[in-house]
């Protein structure tokens, strides 16, 4: 899923944990699923941001010359305005866009 095109809220909202845990039957398992997906999204976002900022990296590491690049600032601001990875992962979970399985409870894998 493209995290840039998500309809996740920008702010935290109150959710009914019991209702969210219905598909798994366990609140802890639900939180683990969302947390693992959130870590994946955060990794993707970090990788994309680093890749875009590498274009502006200077070859000289001179502390005396610190220059501001308007494009670099705009890219950083764009990523700051995106919803946080936990909010994106929670929205994906609520929309049933996350696939998960628990090997301990899946009997058909034998």
């Amino acid at each position: 899923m493209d995290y840039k095109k998500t309809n996740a809220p920008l702010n935290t909202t109150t959710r009914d944990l019991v209702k969210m845990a219905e598909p798994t039957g366990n609140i802890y398992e639900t939180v683990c699923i969302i947390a693992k997906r959130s870590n994946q999204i955060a990794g993707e976002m970090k990788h994309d941001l680093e890749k875009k900022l590498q274009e502006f990296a200077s070859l000289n590491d001179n502390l005396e010359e610190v220059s501001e690049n308007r494009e670099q600032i705009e890219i950083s601001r764009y990523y700051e305005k995106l919803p946080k990875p936990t909010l994106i992962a929670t929205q994906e979970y609520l929309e049933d866009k996350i696939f998960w399985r628990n090997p301990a409870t899946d009997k058909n894998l034998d």
Side-chain angles (χ1 to χ4, degrees):
M1 165 150 196
D2 190 11
Y3 58 85
K4 297 174 187 172
K5 297 178 183 177
T6 185
N7 58 352
L10 295 174
N11 298 325
T12 56
T13 57
T14 305
R15 308 224 187 249
D16 184 10
L17 281 179
V18 175
K19 185 178 177 185
M20 283 179 62
E22 285 178 1
T24 61
N26 187 341
I27 293 173
Y28 177 75
E29 189 173 347
T30 301
V31 170
C32 286
I33 291 167
I34 293 171
K36 287 180 182 182
R37 179 62 183 142
S38 175
N39 287 337
Q40 290 174 346
I41 293 170
E44 290 175 19
M45 290 174 81
K46 183 178 178 183
H47 177 71
D48 289 347
L49 178 61
E50 287 175 353
K51 190 169 97 176
K52 288 181 181 180
L53 292 179
Q54 281 295 325
E55 297 173 8
F56 304 107
S58 65
L59 299 176
N60 299 341
D61 290 334
N62 190 351
L63 295 177
E64 294 175 7
E65 290 183 26
V66 177
S67 62
E68 294 181 2
N69 189 338
R70 172 88 49 216
E71 294 172 354
Q72 186 176 7
I73 293 170
E74 291 299 319
I75 290 172
S76 297
R77 283 187 182 157
Y78 172 76
Y79 275 89
E80 287 176 1
K81 291 179 182 179
L82 286 175
K84 302 296 180 226
T86 52
L87 296 174
I88 297 171
T90 303
Q91 188 66 31
E92 286 181 359
Y93 178 81
L94 293 174
E95 294 175 355
D96 293 327
K97 294 182 178 179
I98 298 177
F99 172 77
W100 76 89
R101 64 185 175 105
N102 186 345
T105 58
D106 290 346
K107 301 297 180 194
N108 59 356
L109 294 177
D110 293 337

